[in-house]
Amino acid sequence: MCRSIKTLRPPAMPEEATEADVRAAALQYVRKISGFRAPAAHNQEVFDRAVDAVAQATAELLDGLEVRGAGARKATSRA
């Protein structure tokens, strides 16, 4: 598990995750699974596409979650 990825949903965060929070988590995830902190130039495009895809999937997940006990609050769209 990548320890620098934090939980992005209430109540773990006092407010909703920002787009920057989602992107940072996606970057950490792609770095962890690829084994590259910064990819070589010939891998940069695929690395960036992976970060974009993970960020989009994360935003969709957070937008769709209903957290019981956190009131009637749902995440707003980040895209």
Side-chain angles (χ1 to χ4, degrees):
M1 182 64 184
C2 190
R3 296 173 209 259
S4 56
I5 297 175
K6 61 184 179 179
T7 301
L8 296 180
R9 65 163 180 83
M13 288 185 68
E15 66 276 338
E16 292 177 5
T18 66
E19 190 173 326
D21 293 327
V22 170
R23 183 123 182 118
L27 177 59
Q28 288 301 317
Y29 176 77
V30 172
R31 283 176 173 169
K32 183 68 169 185
I33 62 168
S34 70
F36 296 115
R37 179 163 175 12
H42 63 278
N43 287 325
Q44 188 68 52
E45 185 178 339
V46 71
F47 189 91
D48 291 342
R49 281 196 318 260
V51 172
D52 292 342
V54 171
Q56 179 63 37
T58 301
E60 289 174 13
L61 171 67
L62 293 174
D63 286 345
L65 287 176
E66 289 186 33
V67 181
R68 292 189 178 188
R73 184 175 161 188
K74 276 189 85 170
T76 58
S77 179
R78 289 167 194 75

